[in-house]
Amino acid sequence: MAKVQVYCAVSLDGFIAGEGDDLSWLGEPEPEPAREPGTVGFAEFMAQTGAMLMGRRTFDVVKGFGGEWAYGGVPVFVATTRALGEAPATVSAVRGGIDALCERAKAVAGEKNVYVDGGALITQALDAGCVDELILTVVPVLLGRGTALYQGTRLQRFDAEPLGRFGTMMQTRLTRAG
């Protein structure tokens, strides 16, 4: 059965982007950082992903990187009320409540998983109880300000499974407690 997952890097103080969507704190991408067995690389994660649900702001940031589309042929649903403009053929705009959007993405994903990305969308999915698992790569930096991983108001409890070192970072899998 498909899982709804969050896969992202997070600073020690809980931010997924710095002020103004700054991602420079992540450092330069390495071809394949040294990582311990059990950790999950992006290519490995995407191989298990059948659909993606992305926030509009995140789409705009990723699109601004230029170059090859990072998500390959995976269908990407961008939650937005505005036209997307030029976008890869696999990308479509969607509207609706987070529960309905997750169900739509699951239907498209089939036996594979759904990847949710974007601060506001992650918060909505967590608050609605839609997220089954978070795979977080903790970067040893403090940002002080930016886009928080979670901006909701509900207490959220998870069971943590340390996955190991990923370059100079640590990766953890979190599943809903209870």
Side-chain angles (χ1 to χ4, degrees):
M1 182 152 141
K3 291 187 278 190
V4 175
Q5 299 175 298
V6 171
Y7 179 91
C8 65
V10 62
S11 68
L12 289 172
D13 48 354
F15 295 102
I16 59 174
E19 280 190 301
D21 301 320
D22 176 38
L23 298 175
S24 65
W25 58 277
L26 293 169
E28 290 298 315
E30 298 177 43
E32 180 62 35
R35 58 188 182 102
E36 292 180 352
T39 57
V40 182
F42 184 72
E44 179 184 349
F45 178 80
M46 288 304 296
Q48 299 300 314
T49 299
M52 184 170 184
L53 188 55
M54 179 183 285
R56 174 58 189 258
R57 192 162 136 192
T58 301
F59 172 74
D60 289 340
V61 169
V62 172
K63 186 176 155 188
F65 292 157
E68 189 176 326
W69 181 240
Y71 309 105
V74 172
V76 176
F77 300 105
V78 179
T80 186
T81 57
R82 297 178 285 134
L84 293 177
E86 192 174 316
T90 57
V91 176
S92 57
V94 294
R95 294 181 191 193
I98 192 66
D99 290 314
L101 293 177
C102 286
E103 287 306 313
R104 179 177 179 180
K106 280 181 171 180
V108 169
E111 295 297 314
K112 290 189 172 187
N113 298 320
V114 173
Y115 175 11
V116 177
D117 196 15
L121 207 58
I122 290 169
T123 293
Q124 290 173 37
L126 284 166
D127 278 347
C130 295
V131 176
D132 300 304
E133 179 177 272
L134 296 93
I135 298 174
L136 302 179
T137 304
V138 181
V139 182
V141 299
L142 294 169
L143 296 177
R145 290 191 280 270
T147 302
L149 170 66
Y150 180 67
Q151 300 169 54
T153 57
R154 288 190 41 219
L155 175 66
Q156 306 270 338
R157 293 193 189 276
F158 297 89
D159 292 322
E161 173 193 355
L163 298 178
R165 292 182 63 82
F166 195 99
T168 60
M169 305 165 284
M170 290 297 293
Q171 196 173 68
T172 303
R173 180 186 322 268
L174 302 168
T175 52
R176 286 210 176 267

